[in-house]
Amino acid sequence: MAKIPVQFRLNGSDRAAFVDAPETLLNTLRRGLGDFSPKYGCGQGTCGVCTVLVDGEPQLSCLTLSVACEGRHVETAAGMADGPNLHPLQAAFMDHFAAQCGFCTPGMLTAARALLAKNPNPSRDEVIEAISGNICRCTGYEPIVAAILSAAGAPGARRA
């Protein structure tokens, strides 16, 4: 099978890869481009650990084809920090101990980032809805919700 070239902007940098037509964005990010922040969990789109932003919208990278991202903007948790400066969501996750084992954290962060970009002052119910596609087995969700609500008012929380 011939490889297909695909180009998109990953965390602010233009990137290109050759992929098989059915290759998922998750595989391209992890194996082809070395961004290991989206995790492989269920592979069926039910756990949310592979959540990334495509043109600012949360997408399950295990179900998204790489070729569908041609010319688009893809953002992962790896692109949230500004050098040594954590994104306000990342700092809030640390402050509220919202990343216990850390496996769900990249998906939670990207889902929360999409929420805050659209709604800088969400209610508790809106936060719960925004992260509802992400499964966490450690925290009981309370620290995650508290972290997102804490970050909501922080300067730079809406930063793309």
Side-chain angles (χ1 to χ4, degrees), residues 54-72:
V54 178
D55 293 336
E57 294 295 323
Q59 298 286 316
L60 298 168
S61 63
C62 74
L63 298 180
T64 302
L65 296 179
S66 295
V67 294
C69 294
E70 175 68 34
R72 299 177 80 183

Side-chain angles (χ1 to χ4, degrees), residues 2-95:
K3 298 280 188 179
I4 300 168
V6 63
Q7 295 180 333
F8 52 84
R9 195 152 183 80
L10 174 61
N11 297 326
S13 297
D14 290 328
R15 301 299 299 268
F18 287 97
V19 301
D20 293 321
E23 186 171 323
T24 66
L25 180 58
L26 179 62
N27 285 339
T28 300
L29 290 171
R30 291 180 63 81
R31 295 182 186 157
L33 300 175
D35 186 337
F36 295 100
S37 61
K39 305 295 184 216
Y40 181 87
C42 67
Q44 301 174 357
T46 58
C47 71
V49 299
C50 68
T51 302
V52 299
L53 303 180
V54 178
D55 293 336
E57 294 295 323
Q59 298 286 316
L60 298 168
S61 63
C62 74
L63 298 180
T64 302
L65 296 179
S66 295
V67 294
C69 294
E70 175 68 34
R72 299 177 80 183
H73 294 266
V74 177
E75 300 169 72
T76 68
M80 290 179 71
D82 182 14
N85 303 313
L86 294 178
H87 185 280
L89 276 167
Q90 292 170 312
F93 268 57
M94 283 181 31
D95 293 344

Side-chain angles (χ1 to χ4, degrees), residues 89 111-112 114-132 141-142 144-153:
L89 276 167
L115 169 67
L116 295 185
K118 289 184 170 104
N119 181 357
N121 193 18
S123 68
R124 177 180 172 77
D125 287 343
E126 289 168 325
V127 169
I128 291 168
E129 176 64 27
I131 64 170
S132 65
Y141 299 96
E142 283 304 316
I144 295 169
V145 172
I148 296 167
L149 289 171
S150 172

